[in-house]
Amino acid sequence: MNHSVNLIVALKAEAQPLIEFFELKALPVDETISIFANHEVTLALAGMGKSAAAHAVQCVKNTNQGCVNAWLNIGIAGHGEFDVGQGFLANRIVDQTTMKTWYPQFVFQPVCRTGTLMTVDKVETDYSDPVGYDMEASGFYSAAVNCSTIELVHTYKIVSDNPRNSVAKVTRSKIDNLIKSKLSEIRCTIDSLKKLTAEVATRNSSDELLHQFLQRWRFSVTQQIQLKSFLCKTNVLKIDIDVESNEFMSCRNGKSALKVVERTVETHWRN
Amino acid sequence: MYRNIYVESEVLRYHRVKEILARYTDASVVTCDRYTEIFNLKSQDFRLQKKQPALILARKHRGYIQQAPAGYGVGGDHNFYFSTMMNCLYDCRYCFLQGMYRSANHVVFVNYEDFSSALLKTAARFEKDEQVWFFSGYDCDSLALEPVLSMADFFIETVSSSQNVWLELRTKSTQIRSLLKRTPLPNIVTAFSFTPTAISEQIEHQVPGVEKRLAAMLRLQEQGWSVGLRFDPLIYSHNFREQYQDLFNLLFLSLNPDLIHSISIGVFRLPKDFYKQLERLYPDDSFIAQPFNSRNGQVSYPLNIELEMKSWCYKQIQEHIEKNKIFFAEISVPDSIPATSISLKSELDVRNVN
Ligand code: SF4
């Protein structure tokens, strides 16, 4: 099964250093947003705001059908406490408007600090709490957890402004520099997610044998699920299945082929 | 060991919580309103979370003490269980917790005092000459986290002055210090679960080895504590007789039979839905991949194997221990019970942990 780490990025200035670093190529997809990819990473240039981020997740999901997807929202953020240039992964995301809260789950060791991220509708200039402020995370997160298991969904932000450094001074080239300065942290986080997606993908892989069965006989959806499960068992239990054997040759339909597989697995107890 | 800890804001000021947090100064601590915001989410992957479970410190609000399923007991008149923790440090492939919870994170209900008053209140409903049992280690291992949680220590104290209130601490752990520092009490049974070494090494991940568990039992017995043996679940293999024979020899030749309170036996069994969840989580696992049978809504070995294992193990065990100390935790009474088999209790208890 294929797997991909999908980066959702709001601004062109945030996306460009990533496109260059990962050598991503624009995909000719029929989507309302620009999507770039290489064999392991997909990047969507979402535009600003919660709904844009959620929409981008949907577009990438459509592009990567049948794939195990991890999701990483990358961008700049204000912060009530952290220094400018500090990278952090969100361990709690709060939507300021709805006060809905999400708790991203870490099953890998983060390479940077972790902290609360508040998604706001208007640029935050008061920095009233010692938390991060962005405009996308809650939209991104709520959409992405509908597409993947929560351990594979994260948000990484780099502090661009804080009570001592006004947001008004955040320029395009400053954003470019901030992202470039944290490429190794981003790389590590992507690698951790990649490992996890690879693990899930291997777990769910269906093999050549399944393909042979599907080519030869017709199976209903339920039968396909049963077949996959039985073939998986034969694989794990190292039971040989030979579709060219006489037993299978005499099977007229999927149902009878499925019966033969089932019988073969059940003989396991007698061996 | 914990890198991520979630704490309900309601318990943040609890002394017990402060003590636990003080052990994990490097962990990231996140406050939440209710543990369910984290624990009960739909799209979680138990297997991924098992790599690095988070600790969730919460308060339980009701349902502290539950009636144990019929037949769960080991000779008492009334049986109850309580769970101050959900999920386990260890990773046994047959564990029902993997099928029951969506999350592998460890939830600890820190309001032990509420459990304790409910326990005593429950016990007070019965006559003084009736044995009222409380089983811990239903949704977790009773001792695995004892150095951090002091849970066993607390509940031993709770029942220490009641003669008819019994406490079973069910475990695969060797963390017995909180017992060793006390004078033995006759109404506490520390029940250790075993499968043969080869099986344990294959499917009981992170669990202390058989010899280590036996050493812990011996230390408890030396000090005068009574212990229990739980061969539940029995795990089948083509040479199960040799494997279990070796295990029984090792245990029964080492332990003092007078201080063995009880032994229980039950084959591997899981509710069908839990088993399906395990198939989804571990399609590549050779234990889960076995072609189990489904009966009475439970997945287990084919009936002939189940009966063969139970009657054979029972026969072996009764050579070492009086029959009245042996109990069955069973899923079903088959239509035909072989003459060699003893009267099997019919019950639908699904929990076969520890
Ligand atoms: S079977 Fe018992 S020791 Fe093993 S993981 Fe489950 S609760 Fe823990």
Side-chain angles (χ1 to χ4, degrees):
Chain A
M1 203 176 213
N2 290 332
H3 51 100
S4 169
V5 180
N6 306 319
L7 314 179
I8 304 296
V9 181
L11 307 171
K12 184 105 196 287
E14 294 166 330
Q16 199 54 43
L18 297 168
I19 293 169
E20 284 164 18
F21 183 72
F22 290 104
E23 298 179 5
L24 306 177
K25 301 274 174 286
L27 288 188
V29 287
D30 187 21
E31 293 290 359
T32 45
I33 57 165
S34 305
I35 296 180
F36 305 81
N38 66 19
H39 64 286
E40 53 180 16
V41 172
T42 302
L43 181 148
L45 182 49
M48 274 173 71
K50 293 187 283 195
S51 30
H55 175 64
V57 168
Q58 201 50 50
C59 294
V60 175
K61 187 190 167 198
N62 296 341
T63 311
N64 289 351
Q65 293 280 0
C67 205
V68 176
N69 290 301
W71 303 87
L72 184 62
N73 172 214
I74 301 178
I76 54 162
H79 205 287
E81 187 182 86
F82 289 175
D83 289 337
V84 167
Q86 174 74 56
F88 69 100
L89 279 157
N91 58 17
R92 176 167 57 184
I93 296 168
V94 185
D95 186 295
Q96 195 186 46
T97 314
T98 62
M99 285 318 278
K100 192 164 166 39
T101 307
W102 295 265
Y103 300 88
Q105 295 290 302
F106 292 94
V107 295
F108 59 89
Q109 176 63 22
V111 282
C112 54
R113 294 180 75 163
T114 55
T116 298
L117 182 61
M118 176 85 79
T119 299
V120 293
D121 290 334
K122 284 194 204 123
V123 175
E124 174 72 28
T125 49
D126 289 345
Y127 310 97
S128 39
D129 290 307
V131 301
Y133 294 94
D134 90 325
M135 298 177 76
E136 286 81 30
S138 67
F140 156 78
Y141 198 86
S142 57
V145 289
N146 282 328
C147 311
S148 290
T149 176
I150 58 170
E151 301 77 17
L152 301 179
V153 184
H154 285 282
T155 299
Y156 175 84
K157 297 284 165 173
I158 305 165
V159 178
S160 56
D161 48 283
N162 60 17
R164 301 168 296 281
N165 299 275
S166 160
V167 67
K169 289 186 188 148
V170 178
T171 60
R172 198 186 157 88
S173 75
K174 193 171 172 189
I175 296 172
D176 185 78
N177 285 337
L178 284 170
I179 300 280
K180 279 182 176 153
S181 71
K182 292 293 170 191
L183 284 170
S184 74
E185 271 184 11
I186 294 170
R187 167 93 258 180
C188 283
T189 307
I190 290 175
D191 284 348
S192 300
L193 290 171
K194 226 164 67 184
K195 260 195 214 153
L196 297 174
T197 51
E199 190 186 313
V200 176
T202 319
R203 202 197 285 176
N204 295 328
S205 69
S206 51
D207 61 8
E208 181 55 26
L209 196 54
L210 176 66
H211 187 66
Q212 286 180 33
F213 274 84
L214 297 181
Q215 293 264 298
R216 185 173 292 189
W217 296 283
R218 284 191 56 167
F219 295 90
S220 68
V221 177
T222 317
Q223 285 170 340
Q224 277 190 38
I225 294 168
Q226 289 172 333
L227 177 67
K228 201 174 163 189
S229 155
F230 280 128
L231 291 182
C232 195
K233 286 178 195 286
T234 62
N235 188 23
V236 177
L237 298 171
K238 301 196 174 24
I239 300 170
D240 274 339
I241 293 277
D242 180 6
V243 273
E244 303 303 329
S245 70
N246 289 342
E247 253 189 319
F248 283 109
M249 290 306 233
S250 58
C251 294
R252 295 235 181 94
N253 51 33
K255 193 176 168 190
S256 54
L258 187 62
K259 272 264 168 279
V260 176
V261 183
E262 188 177 353
R263 239 188 356 252
T264 313
V265 174
E266 274 167 5
T267 56
H268 168 77
W269 294 119
R270 294 198 280 273
N271 296 329
Chain B
M1 169 196 96
Y2 292 112
R3 292 195 177 126
N4 300 289
I5 304 181
Y6 300 91
V7 188
E8 283 184 357
S9 21
E10 193 185 351
V11 301
L12 213 46
R13 287 203 182 82
Y14 280 37
H15 179 63
R16 187 167 292 124
V17 168
K18 285 183 186 159
E19 273 182 358
I20 295 170
L21 292 181
R23 300 180 75 100
Y24 302 104
T25 46
D26 289 341
S28 120
V29 178
V30 178
T31 52
C32 60
D33 285 340
R34 289 289 289 137
Y35 78 92
T36 47
E37 293 175 276
I38 298 141
F39 194 72
N40 286 359
L41 293 178
K42 257 196 207 141
S43 117
Q44 303 189 70
D45 189 305
F46 193 98
R47 183 169 172 179
L48 287 181
Q49 289 189 4
K50 206 70 189 162
K51 286 170 174 291
Q52 193 181 293
L55 175 64
I56 305 174
L57 301 175
R59 178 166 180 262
K60 191 159 175 95
H61 293 262
R62 65 183 77 86
Y64 306 108
I65 304 292
Q66 302 287 336
Q67 183 81 51
Y72 187 77
V74 282
D77 298 304
H78 308 282
N79 299 304
F80 299 90
Y81 73 91
F82 64 99
S83 298
T84 46
M85 182 170 173
M86 298 196 286
N87 275 327
C88 182
L89 204 57
Y90 306 138
D91 189 13
C92 304
R93 195 51 63 243
Y94 52 74
C95 183
F96 80 100
L97 297 173
Q98 306 164 106
M100 189 163 79
Y101 298 132
R102 291 184 180 130
S103 168
N105 290 332
H106 301 168
V107 178
V108 175
F109 296 113
V110 290
N111 50 328
Y112 297 173
E113 290 74 10
D114 292 325
F115 284 86
S116 162
S117 354
L119 186 155
L120 293 173
K121 217 165 146 188
T122 306
R125 289 183 359 221
F126 303 100
E127 300 298 329
K128 287 278 171 268
D129 58 349
E130 292 180 305
Q131 277 193 10
V132 190
W133 278 74
F134 294 90
F135 295 86
S136 99
Y138 222 62
D139 297 318
C140 65
D141 183 289
S142 297
L143 294 177
L145 273 173
E146 187 61 10
V148 180
L149 304 177
S150 305
M151 190 269 283
D153 195 42
F154 181 91
F155 287 99
I156 291 172
E157 191 58 42
T158 300
V159 303
S160 61
S161 50
S162 323
Q163 255 99 59
N164 68 326
V165 181
W166 289 68
L167 176 66
E168 178 186 285
L169 301 166
R170 196 170 286 197
T171 190
K172 285 197 185 90
S173 161
T174 55
Q175 301 288 355
I176 51 173
R177 235 171 302 163
S178 53
L179 285 120
L180 293 179
K181 69 175 194 208
R182 289 172 170 275
T183 310
L185 293 163
N187 54 335
I188 308 290
V189 174
T190 312
F192 290 78
S193 302
F194 286 96
T195 57
T197 303
I199 294 171
S200 178
E201 284 171 356
Q202 210 187 332
I203 61 175
E204 293 177 343
H205 309 289
Q206 283 127 51
V207 169
V210 168
E211 306 264 356
K212 284 193 178 149
R213 272 176 272 165
L214 173 60
M217 290 183 89
L218 289 170
R219 286 199 71 188
L220 287 171
Q221 283 199 332
E222 269 160 31
Q223 206 177 298
W225 291 94
S226 68
V227 295
L229 283 167
R230 304 290 173 252
F231 302 112
D232 183 11
L234 292 172
I235 303 292
Y236 179 77
S237 66
H238 298 300
N239 60 341
F240 85 88
R241 286 185 195 77
E242 292 94 82
Q243 291 191 330
Y244 275 93
Q245 186 70 73
D246 287 350
L247 177 65
F248 295 155
N249 285 344
L250 176 72
L251 295 173
F252 293 119
L253 296 178
S254 316
L255 293 163
N256 172 359
D258 296 335
L259 283 174
I260 296 180
H261 171 273
S262 53
I263 293 173
S264 57
I265 305 173
V267 288
F268 163 73
R269 59 207 182 275
L270 276 180
K272 214 167 164 185
D273 288 349
F274 291 10
Y275 177 72
K276 274 193 183 153
Q277 176 64 5
L278 260 68
E279 279 192 309
R280 274 193 289 274
L281 285 171
Y282 298 96
D284 50 350
D285 185 275
S286 58
F287 176 74
I288 301 298
Q290 295 175 90
F292 293 110
N293 276 191
S294 169
R295 296 192 298 283
N296 292 341
Q298 305 233 22
V299 169
S300 184
Y301 295 110
L303 191 55
N304 58 328
I305 290 181
E306 176 188 334
L307 292 174
E308 195 186 335
M309 287 188 83
K310 278 186 310 205
S311 48
W312 185 85
C313 288
Y314 178 74
K315 251 176 143 181
Q316 301 304 313
I317 293 169
Q318 66 169 355
E319 281 176 16
H320 303 277
I321 293 284
E322 307 95 275
K323 280 186 193 173
N324 64 356
K325 286 189 176 179
I326 309 174
F327 298 87
F328 282 84
E330 289 310 324
I331 49 166
S332 58
V333 175
D335 295 337
S336 56
I337 303 170
T340 50
S341 173
I342 29 70
S343 62
L344 307 173
K345 283 180 186 164
S346 169
E347 65 128 317
L348 288 167
D349 174 26
V350 298
R351 298 171 184 239
N352 59 342
V353 288
N354 290 318

